[in-house]
Amino acid sequence: VSAARAGGAAAGSAAAAAAAAAAAHSELRIAVTEVIKDMLKPVWKSGKLTREAFKAVAKKATDKVLGGLPPPGAPDAPADSAEGAAAYLNEPRRVKIRTLVDSYVSKYAHT
């Protein structure tokens, strides 16, 4: 019985760690998501993406961009604030994000 509880506790703590990681860069996640959605809107309005493809591309691109960040509290981690998000989303980084979004669009676009 205790082994089952230990397994359940480990699964619970893993879920808690995943939830903490998702909330870690919340301001930055919101800003990155909005930038990506703004990049996708013209493609979606032109009819090249379905609603489901739009959501999939937005999620994959956001996760990819944020997955490369150092953990919160690291010396080189961007601040989790509006100012930190603005500094992180500078023009060179937006160009890289645009390239990533375009590659996902070419994969998910229907013709």
Side-chain angles (χ1 to χ4, degrees), residues 15-44:
H25 293 292
S26 60
E27 288 284 329
L28 189 58
R29 176 174 288 278
I30 291 168
V32 169
T33 301
E34 288 304 313
V35 166
I36 290 171
K37 284 182 177 180
D38 288 343
M39 291 177 181
L40 286 172
K41 282 179 185 174
V43 180
W44 178 67

Side-chain angles (χ1 to χ4, degrees), residues 14-103:
H25 293 292
S26 60
E27 288 284 329
L28 189 58
R29 176 174 288 278
I30 291 168
V32 169
T33 301
E34 288 304 313
V35 166
I36 290 171
K37 284 182 177 180
D38 288 343
M39 291 177 181
L40 286 172
K41 282 179 185 174
V43 180
W44 178 67
K45 287 182 180 181
S46 71
K48 293 180 182 174
L49 287 178
T50 63
R51 181 172 186 246
E52 292 77 25
F54 179 97
K55 289 167 48 176
V57 170
K59 180 171 179 9
K60 283 184 174 276
T62 300
D63 290 346
K64 181 82 169 183
V65 170
L66 294 176
L69 290 177
D76 54 345
D80 189 25
S81 64
E83 296 82 19
Y88 179 76
L89 292 169
N90 58 22
E91 193 57 35
R93 185 153 291 118
R94 285 179 187 253
V95 170
K96 289 180 181 181
I97 293 171
R98 164 59 75 188
T99 304
L100 176 68
V101 168
D102 289 344
S103 70

